[in-house]
Protein backbone atom coordinates (compact mmCIF):
# COMPACT_ATOMS: atom_id res chain seq x y z
CA UNK A 1 0.00 0.00 0.00
CA UNK A 2 1.14 3.53 -0.67
CA UNK A 3 2.03 6.02 2.04
CA UNK A 4 -1.21 7.86 1.26
CA UNK A 5 -3.18 4.87 2.55
CA UNK A 6 -1.22 4.62 5.81
CA UNK A 7 -2.57 7.82 7.32
CA UNK A 8 -4.31 5.96 10.17
CA UNK A 9 -7.43 8.11 9.95
CA UNK A 10 -10.96 7.71 8.79
CA UNK A 11 -11.92 8.82 5.29
CA UNK A 12 -13.74 12.15 5.18
CA UNK A 13 -16.45 10.77 2.91
CA UNK A 14 -17.50 7.44 1.39
CA UNK A 15 -19.48 7.17 -1.85
CA UNK A 16 -21.93 4.28 -2.20
CA UNK A 17 -23.38 3.16 -5.52
CA UNK A 18 -26.12 0.49 -5.70
CA UNK A 19 -24.72 -3.04 -5.43
CA UNK A 20 -26.13 -6.46 -6.31
CA UNK A 21 -29.38 -4.97 -7.67
CA UNK A 22 -30.41 -4.13 -4.12
CA UNK A 23 -30.85 -1.03 -2.02
CA UNK A 24 -28.77 -0.61 1.10
CA UNK A 25 -30.62 -1.77 4.16
CA UNK A 26 -30.51 0.24 7.36
CA UNK A 27 -28.36 -2.43 8.95
CA UNK A 28 -25.89 -2.15 6.05
CA UNK A 29 -25.53 1.60 6.52
CA UNK A 30 -25.20 1.11 10.27
CA UNK A 31 -22.31 -1.33 9.76
CA UNK A 32 -20.54 1.05 7.40
CA UNK A 33 -20.97 3.94 9.85
CA UNK A 34 -19.63 1.76 12.67
CA UNK A 35 -16.51 0.94 10.62
CA UNK A 36 -15.89 4.64 9.86
CA UNK A 37 -18.06 6.70 12.25
CA UNK A 38 -16.55 10.02 11.22
CA UNK A 39 -17.14 9.58 7.49
CA UNK A 40 -19.93 11.26 5.55
CA UNK A 41 -21.88 8.85 3.34
CA UNK A 42 -22.75 9.96 -0.20
CA UNK A 43 -25.29 8.02 -2.26
CA UNK A 44 -24.48 7.84 -5.96
CA UNK A 45 -26.74 6.38 -8.65
CA UNK A 46 -25.47 4.07 -11.40
CA UNK A 47 -25.77 7.11 -13.69
CA UNK A 48 -23.37 9.01 -11.42
CA UNK A 49 -25.89 11.32 -9.74
CA UNK A 50 -24.88 12.12 -6.15
CA UNK A 51 -27.04 13.35 -3.28
CA UNK A 52 -24.25 15.53 -1.80
CA UNK A 53 -20.81 16.91 -2.79
CA UNK A 54 -18.15 14.45 -3.92
CA UNK A 55 -15.02 16.55 -3.44
CA UNK A 56 -14.12 14.91 -0.09
CA UNK A 57 -14.87 11.33 -1.13
CA UNK A 58 -11.84 9.11 -0.46
CA UNK A 59 -13.52 5.69 -0.70
CA UNK A 60 -15.96 4.36 -3.31
CA UNK A 61 -18.04 1.21 -2.90
CA UNK A 62 -18.82 0.44 -6.51
CA UNK A 63 -21.64 -1.66 -7.92
CA UNK A 64 -22.29 -2.45 -11.62
CA UNK A 65 -21.70 1.10 -12.81
CA UNK A 66 -20.68 1.27 -16.50
CA UNK A 67 -17.03 2.15 -17.18
CA UNK A 68 -17.93 5.49 -18.83
CA UNK A 69 -20.00 6.59 -15.87
CA UNK A 70 -17.27 5.32 -13.57
CA UNK A 71 -14.64 7.50 -15.25
CA UNK A 72 -16.90 10.54 -15.07
CA UNK A 73 -17.44 9.84 -11.39
CA UNK A 74 -13.68 9.64 -10.83
CA UNK A 75 -13.26 13.09 -12.34
CA UNK A 76 -15.66 14.48 -9.74
CA UNK A 77 -13.85 12.78 -6.82
CA UNK A 78 -10.41 14.47 -6.66
CA UNK A 79 -9.68 13.01 -3.20
CA UNK A 80 -10.52 9.39 -4.09
CA UNK A 81 -7.87 6.87 -3.03
CA UNK A 82 -9.57 3.48 -2.89
CA UNK A 83 -12.31 1.75 -4.94
CA UNK A 84 -13.89 -1.42 -3.62
CA UNK A 85 -15.74 -3.31 -6.34
CA UNK A 86 -18.76 -5.28 -5.14
CA UNK A 87 -18.23 -7.55 -8.15
CA UNK A 88 -15.47 -10.10 -8.60
CA UNK A 89 -14.79 -8.99 -12.17
CA UNK A 90 -13.07 -5.62 -12.39
CA UNK A 91 -12.72 -5.08 -16.15
CA UNK A 92 -15.00 -2.03 -15.88
CA UNK A 93 -12.91 -0.60 -13.03
CA UNK A 94 -9.43 -1.00 -14.49
CA UNK A 95 -9.83 1.97 -16.81
CA UNK A 96 -7.04 4.18 -18.06
CA UNK A 97 -8.29 6.99 -15.83
CA UNK A 98 -8.17 4.77 -12.75
CA UNK A 99 -4.66 3.64 -13.63
CA UNK A 100 -3.49 7.23 -14.12
CA UNK A 101 -4.76 8.09 -10.65
CA UNK A 102 -2.93 5.14 -9.09
CA UNK A 103 -6.05 4.13 -7.17
CA UNK A 104 -6.15 1.15 -4.86
CA UNK A 105 -8.72 -1.33 -6.17
CA UNK A 106 -10.13 -4.32 -4.31
CA UNK A 107 -12.83 -6.74 -5.37
CA UNK A 108 -15.43 -9.17 -4.03
CA UNK A 109 -13.44 -12.37 -4.57
CA UNK A 110 -14.98 -15.12 -2.45
CA UNK A 111 -18.34 -13.44 -1.88
CA UNK A 112 -20.13 -15.34 -4.66
CA UNK A 113 -18.15 -18.59 -4.72
CA UNK A 114 -20.58 -20.81 -2.83
CA UNK A 115 -23.80 -19.99 -4.73
CA UNK A 116 -21.98 -20.14 -8.07
CA UNK A 117 -20.53 -23.55 -7.19
CA UNK A 118 -23.98 -24.77 -6.14
CA UNK A 119 -25.47 -23.48 -9.41
CA UNK A 120 -22.77 -25.34 -11.35
CA UNK A 121 -23.51 -28.59 -9.56
CA UNK A 122 -27.24 -28.11 -10.10
CA UNK A 123 -26.65 -27.81 -13.83
CA UNK A 124 -24.30 -30.79 -14.03
CA UNK A 125 -26.77 -32.96 -12.12
CA UNK A 126 -29.65 -31.71 -14.28
CA UNK A 127 -27.82 -32.77 -17.42
CA UNK A 128 -26.80 -36.16 -16.02
CA UNK A 129 -30.31 -36.88 -14.73
CA UNK A 130 -31.90 -35.61 -17.98
CA UNK A 131 -34.03 -32.97 -16.22
CA UNK A 132 -34.69 -30.77 -19.30
CA UNK A 133 -35.98 -33.78 -21.26
CA UNK A 134 -38.06 -34.97 -18.31
CA UNK A 135 -39.74 -31.57 -18.04
CA UNK A 136 -40.51 -31.67 -21.77
CA UNK A 137 -42.03 -35.14 -21.37
CA UNK A 138 -44.20 -33.90 -18.53
CA UNK A 139 -45.42 -30.98 -20.64
CA UNK A 140 -46.26 -33.48 -23.39
CA UNK A 141 -48.01 -35.74 -20.82
CA UNK A 142 -45.71 -38.57 -21.86
CA UNK A 143 -44.57 -41.26 -19.40
CA UNK A 144 -41.12 -42.27 -20.66
CA UNK A 145 -38.29 -43.16 -18.27
CA UNK A 146 -34.89 -42.00 -19.51
CA UNK A 147 -31.45 -43.51 -18.86
CA UNK A 148 -29.12 -41.33 -16.78
CA UNK A 149 -25.53 -41.16 -15.58
CA UNK A 150 -23.98 -40.85 -12.12
CA UNK A 151 -21.44 -38.28 -11.03
CA UNK A 152 -18.89 -41.06 -10.51
CA UNK A 153 -19.01 -41.72 -14.24
CA UNK A 154 -17.86 -38.24 -15.33
CA UNK A 155 -14.86 -35.96 -15.28
CA UNK A 156 -15.32 -32.30 -14.38
CA UNK A 157 -12.65 -29.98 -15.71
CA UNK A 158 -12.34 -26.65 -13.90
CA UNK A 159 -10.58 -23.92 -15.86
CA UNK A 160 -9.25 -21.57 -13.20
CA UNK A 161 -8.78 -22.71 -9.60
CA UNK A 162 -9.45 -19.43 -7.86
CA UNK A 163 -12.13 -19.07 -5.21
CA UNK A 164 -15.03 -20.08 -7.48
CA UNK A 165 -13.13 -22.88 -9.19
CA UNK A 166 -11.99 -24.39 -5.90
CA UNK A 167 -15.55 -24.46 -4.58
CA UNK A 168 -16.79 -26.09 -7.79
CA UNK A 169 -14.06 -28.71 -7.49
CA UNK A 170 -14.86 -29.31 -3.82
CA UNK A 171 -18.55 -29.98 -4.51
CA UNK A 172 -17.87 -32.12 -7.57
CA UNK A 173 -15.45 -34.26 -5.54
CA UNK A 174 -18.04 -34.63 -2.79
CA UNK A 175 -20.41 -36.12 -5.38
CA UNK A 176 -17.74 -38.57 -6.49
CA UNK A 177 -16.69 -37.04 -9.82
CA UNK A 178 -13.19 -37.18 -11.15
CA UNK A 179 -11.92 -33.59 -11.14
CA UNK A 180 -9.03 -31.97 -12.98
CA UNK A 181 -8.23 -28.29 -13.17
CA UNK A 182 -5.91 -25.67 -14.58
CA UNK A 183 -4.30 -22.78 -12.77
CA UNK A 184 -1.61 -20.22 -13.29
CA UNK A 185 1.60 -20.46 -11.32
CA UNK A 186 1.02 -19.93 -7.57
CA UNK A 187 0.82 -16.24 -6.66
CA UNK A 188 1.87 -15.43 -3.10
CA UNK A 189 -0.08 -12.17 -3.32
CA UNK A 190 -3.33 -14.12 -3.52
CA UNK A 191 -4.58 -15.00 -0.04
CA UNK A 192 -7.13 -17.75 -0.66
CA UNK A 193 -9.16 -18.76 2.36
CA UNK A 194 -10.15 -21.99 0.59
CA UNK A 195 -7.36 -24.58 0.37
CA UNK A 196 -6.92 -26.56 -2.80
CA UNK A 197 -9.49 -29.40 -2.55
CA UNK A 198 -8.13 -32.81 -1.62
CA UNK A 199 -8.70 -35.61 -4.07
CA UNK A 200 -8.27 -33.80 -7.37
CA UNK A 201 -6.98 -36.07 -10.10
CA UNK A 202 -4.59 -33.51 -11.56
CA UNK A 203 -3.80 -29.81 -11.41
CA UNK A 204 -2.52 -28.70 -14.79
CA UNK A 205 -0.65 -25.66 -15.99
CA UNK A 206 -2.43 -23.23 -18.27
CA UNK A 207 -0.51 -24.56 -21.29
CA UNK A 208 -1.88 -28.05 -20.54
CA UNK A 209 -5.46 -26.93 -21.20
CA UNK A 210 -5.86 -29.32 -24.19
CA UNK A 211 -5.54 -32.25 -21.77
CA UNK A 212 -8.42 -30.92 -19.71
CA UNK A 213 -10.58 -30.26 -22.77
CA UNK A 214 -10.13 -33.73 -24.26
CA UNK A 215 -10.79 -35.57 -20.97
CA UNK A 216 -13.64 -33.59 -19.40
CA UNK A 217 -17.34 -34.37 -19.69
CA UNK A 218 -18.06 -30.91 -18.23
CA UNK A 219 -15.73 -27.95 -18.72
CA UNK A 220 -16.39 -25.15 -16.22
CA UNK A 221 -15.01 -21.69 -16.97
CA UNK A 222 -13.98 -19.86 -13.79
CA UNK A 223 -11.30 -17.44 -14.96
CA UNK A 224 -11.40 -13.62 -14.95
CA UNK A 225 -11.86 -11.59 -18.10
CA UNK A 226 -8.55 -10.09 -19.20
CA UNK A 227 -7.09 -9.28 -22.64
CA UNK A 228 -5.58 -12.79 -22.61
CA UNK A 229 -8.91 -14.53 -21.87
CA UNK A 230 -11.14 -12.55 -24.24
CA UNK A 231 -12.72 -15.21 -26.53
CA UNK A 232 -10.80 -17.80 -24.51
CA UNK A 233 -13.06 -20.59 -25.76
CA UNK A 234 -12.64 -20.05 -29.47
CA UNK A 235 -13.32 -22.42 -32.33
CA UNK A 236 -10.02 -24.22 -31.92
CA UNK A 237 -10.51 -24.93 -28.23
CA UNK A 238 -14.15 -25.91 -28.65
CA UNK A 239 -13.03 -28.41 -31.29
CA UNK A 240 -10.66 -29.98 -28.76
CA UNK A 241 -13.46 -30.76 -26.32
CA UNK A 242 -14.51 -34.35 -25.69
CA UNK A 243 -17.33 -35.55 -27.98
CA UNK A 244 -20.65 -35.29 -26.13
CA UNK A 245 -19.28 -32.94 -23.47
CA UNK A 246 -20.79 -29.76 -22.04
CA UNK A 247 -19.37 -26.26 -21.57
CA UNK A 248 -20.46 -24.24 -18.50
CA UNK A 249 -19.65 -20.54 -18.27
CA UNK A 250 -20.23 -18.90 -14.87
CA UNK A 251 -17.50 -16.29 -15.28
CA UNK A 252 -17.74 -13.62 -18.00
CA UNK A 253 -19.62 -13.73 -21.30
CA UNK A 254 -16.68 -12.60 -23.40
CA UNK A 255 -14.71 -15.72 -22.44
CA UNK A 256 -16.71 -17.60 -25.10
CA UNK A 257 -16.67 -16.86 -28.81
CA UNK A 258 -20.43 -17.06 -29.31
CA UNK A 259 -20.31 -17.64 -33.07
CA UNK A 260 -17.86 -20.49 -32.60
CA UNK A 261 -20.08 -21.90 -29.85
CA UNK A 262 -23.11 -21.90 -32.15
CA UNK A 263 -21.12 -23.84 -34.75
CA UNK A 264 -19.94 -26.34 -32.12
CA UNK A 265 -23.48 -26.86 -30.86
CA UNK A 266 -24.79 -27.49 -34.37
CA UNK A 267 -21.89 -29.53 -35.72
CA UNK A 268 -20.15 -30.98 -32.66
CA UNK A 269 -18.16 -32.15 -30.92
CA UNK A 270 -20.00 -30.84 -27.85
CA UNK A 271 -23.51 -31.90 -26.87
CA UNK A 272 -24.49 -28.74 -25.07
CA UNK A 273 -23.55 -25.59 -23.17
CA UNK A 274 -24.80 -23.68 -20.15
CA UNK A 275 -24.33 -19.91 -20.18
CA UNK A 276 -25.14 -17.82 -17.14
CA UNK A 277 -23.35 -14.83 -18.60
CA UNK A 278 -23.56 -13.49 -22.16
CA UNK A 279 -21.76 -10.86 -24.21
CA UNK A 280 -24.82 -8.62 -24.26
CA UNK A 281 -27.04 -8.57 -21.18
CA UNK A 282 -29.97 -8.74 -21.22
CA UNK A 283 -29.85 -11.04 -24.22
CA UNK A 284 -31.90 -9.50 -27.07
CA UNK A 285 -34.96 -11.50 -28.21
CA UNK A 286 -33.46 -11.59 -31.71
CA UNK A 287 -30.30 -13.42 -30.60
CA UNK A 288 -29.76 -16.81 -32.29
CA UNK A 289 -28.60 -18.16 -28.93
CA UNK A 290 -32.21 -18.53 -27.76
CA UNK A 291 -32.88 -21.27 -30.32
CA UNK A 292 -29.45 -22.93 -30.37
CA UNK A 293 -29.63 -26.72 -29.91
CA UNK A 294 -28.42 -27.99 -26.55
CA UNK A 295 -28.01 -24.52 -25.06
CA UNK A 296 -29.33 -23.60 -21.61
CA UNK A 297 -29.32 -19.88 -20.79
CA UNK A 298 -29.92 -18.31 -17.39
CA UNK A 299 -30.06 -14.54 -16.75
CA UNK A 300 -26.76 -14.07 -14.86
CA UNK A 301 -28.26 -15.53 -11.72
CA UNK A 302 -25.69 -18.10 -10.57
CA UNK A 303 -24.39 -15.70 -7.92
CA UNK A 304 -27.80 -15.05 -6.39
CA UNK A 305 -28.23 -15.89 -2.74
CA UNK A 306 -29.76 -14.32 0.33
CA UNK A 307 -26.30 -14.27 1.89
CA UNK A 308 -24.26 -12.45 -0.74
CA UNK A 309 -25.30 -8.95 0.32
CA UNK A 310 -24.34 -9.73 3.92
CA UNK A 311 -20.95 -11.05 2.81
CA UNK A 312 -20.42 -8.06 0.51
CA UNK A 313 -21.01 -5.54 3.28
CA UNK A 314 -18.97 -7.60 5.74
CA UNK A 315 -15.97 -7.65 3.38
CA UNK A 316 -16.23 -3.93 2.63
CA UNK A 317 -16.46 -3.01 6.31
CA UNK A 318 -13.51 -5.25 7.16
CA UNK A 319 -11.49 -3.51 4.46
CA UNK A 320 -12.76 -0.11 5.60
CA UNK A 321 -11.31 -0.71 9.07
CA UNK A 322 -8.06 -1.86 7.46
CA UNK A 323 -7.98 1.26 5.28
CA UNK A 324 -8.67 3.46 8.30
CA UNK A 325 -5.83 1.79 10.23
CA UNK A 326 -3.37 1.85 7.33
CA UNK A 327 -3.23 -1.95 7.03
CA UNK A 328 -3.08 -4.12 3.90
CA UNK A 329 -6.47 -4.48 2.20
CA UNK A 330 -8.05 -7.83 1.44
CA UNK A 331 -8.61 -8.82 -2.20
CA UNK A 332 -6.33 -6.18 -3.68
CA UNK A 333 -6.43 -6.26 -7.48
CA UNK A 334 -3.25 -6.35 -9.53
CA UNK A 335 -3.93 -3.87 -12.38
CA UNK A 336 -1.35 -5.53 -14.60
CA UNK A 337 -2.80 -9.01 -14.17
CA UNK A 338 -6.36 -7.68 -14.45
CA UNK A 339 -7.74 -9.44 -11.35
Amino acid sequence: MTEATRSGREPAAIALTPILSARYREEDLARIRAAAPGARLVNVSLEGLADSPLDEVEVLLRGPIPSGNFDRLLARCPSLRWVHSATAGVERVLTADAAARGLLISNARGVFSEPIAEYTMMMILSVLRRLPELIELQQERTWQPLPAREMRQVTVGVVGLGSIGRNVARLALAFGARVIGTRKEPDERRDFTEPMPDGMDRILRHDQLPELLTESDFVVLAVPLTPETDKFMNGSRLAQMKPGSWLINVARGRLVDQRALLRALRNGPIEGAILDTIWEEPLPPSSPLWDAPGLIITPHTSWSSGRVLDRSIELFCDNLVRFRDGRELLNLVDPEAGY
Side-chain angles (χ1 to χ4, degrees), residues 166-337:
R166 292 178 191 215
N167 275 277
V168 169
R170 175 178 57 83
L171 290 184
L173 288 165
F175 275 91
R178 173 177 177 255
V179 180
I180 57 180
T182 62
R183 66 179 299 203
K184 286 191 172 183
E185 292 301 317
D187 189 342
E188 295 179 355
R189 295 169 296 179
R190 297 286 184 265
D191 180 22
F192 289 109
T193 57
E194 309 91 353
M196 197 66 71
D198 293 329
M200 291 190 62
D201 187 82
R202 292 200 311 286
I203 298 176
L204 305 171
R205 299 187 311 273
H206 176 70
D207 60 3
Q208 295 175 296
L209 178 66
E211 293 184 36
L212 181 147
L213 297 178
T214 58
E215 296 180 29
S216 299
D217 298 283
F218 295 90
V219 174
V220 182
L221 300 183
V223 293
L225 177 61
T226 67
E228 290 73 31
T229 60
D230 193 13
K231 292 187 180 181
F232 180 80
M233 289 303 294
N234 54 25
S236 175
R237 286 182 171 140
L238 288 165
Q240 292 175 332
M241 289 180 63
K242 181 179 180 179
S245 62
W246 283 71
L247 176 70
I248 303 177
N249 186 12
V250 291
R252 284 291 183 265
R254 292 189 64 89
L255 295 178
V256 179
D257 183 331
Q258 291 182 174
R259 291 186 178 181
L261 177 63
L262 286 171
R263 289 194 296 270
L265 289 169
R266 290 166 180 154
N267 305 321
I270 67 175
E271 180 179 340
I274 297 163
L275 303 181
D276 186 54
T277 178
I278 315 290
W279 279 47
E280 185 179 359
E281 298 179 5
L283 185 64
S286 60
S287 172
L289 292 175
W290 289 114
D291 300 317
L295 182 58
I296 298 173
I297 299 172
T298 56
H300 208 149
T301 191
S302 62
W303 61 269
S304 181
S305 158
R307 285 281 294 120
V308 294
L309 184 56
D310 291 333
R311 285 196 292 265
S312 296
I313 297 298
E314 180 180 356
L315 174 60
F316 176 66
C317 289
D318 191 351
N319 260 349
L320 189 54
V321 172
R322 289 169 174 267
F323 182 83
R324 181 194 67 193
D325 295 343
R327 293 185 285 134
E328 186 81 5
L329 299 181
L330 301 172
N331 289 10
L332 275 176
V333 170
D334 181 348
E336 293 185 6

Side-chain angles (χ1 to χ4, degrees), residues 94-117:
L94 296 177
T95 65
D97 289 354
R101 292 273 294 273
L103 298 174
L104 284 172
I105 296 174
S106 56
N107 73 350
R109 187 178 67 244
V111 167
F112 310 102
S113 301
E114 291 186 20
I116 291 177

Side-chain angles (χ1 to χ4, degrees), residues 45-57:
S45 71
L46 294 180
E47 294 75 29
L49 302 176
D51 65 358
S52 62
L54 295 165
D55 54 304
E56 294 182 329
V57 167

